[in-house]
């Protein structure tokens, strides 16, 4: 995957709002020392996390719907 795009990530996430929250939470985890789930070269944390989401290594939990 030469470039990671928002469209690549949206295949695995419901909407852009969820994508932003998921990525922000994962970036905080990475910066606090969590192991990366994809091979990273000289990419910024944001790009690496988006690659993880696009590779379906990170999955958002769905809240149970109210009845």
């Amino acid at each position: 995957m030469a470039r990671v795009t928002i469209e690549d990530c949206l295949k695995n996430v419901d909407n852009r709002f969820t994508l932003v929250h998921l990525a922000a939470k994962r970036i905080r985890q990475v910066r606090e020392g969590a192991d990366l789930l994809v091979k990273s070269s000289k990419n910024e944390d944001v790009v690496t996390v988006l690659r993880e989401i696009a590779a379906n290594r990170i999955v958002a939990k769905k809240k149970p719907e109210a009845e």
Side-chain angles (χ1 to χ4, degrees):
M1 183 182 333
R3 286 188 182 193
V4 62
T5 64
I6 300 301
E7 286 75 23
D8 295 335
C9 296
L10 287 175
K11 293 176 185 174
N12 301 322
V13 180
D14 293 340
N15 58 52
R16 290 174 188 257
F17 183 77
T18 303
L19 176 62
V20 169
H21 282 281
L22 183 63
K25 183 175 181 177
R26 179 65 180 147
I27 289 168
R28 279 188 232 107
Q29 292 173 349
V30 169
R31 290 182 178 167
E32 290 174 358
D35 293 332
L36 298 175
L37 302 176
V38 295
K39 184 179 174 184
S40 175
S41 56
K42 297 179 182 178
N43 293 326
E44 295 287 327
D45 293 338
V46 175
V47 175
T48 303
V49 167
L50 290 175
R51 287 185 191 280
E52 290 179 349
I53 295 169
N56 209 19
R57 302 286 178 129
I58 307 290
V59 179
K61 290 183 183 177
K62 294 186 179 185
K63 292 184 179 181
E65 295 182 21
E67 294 181 22

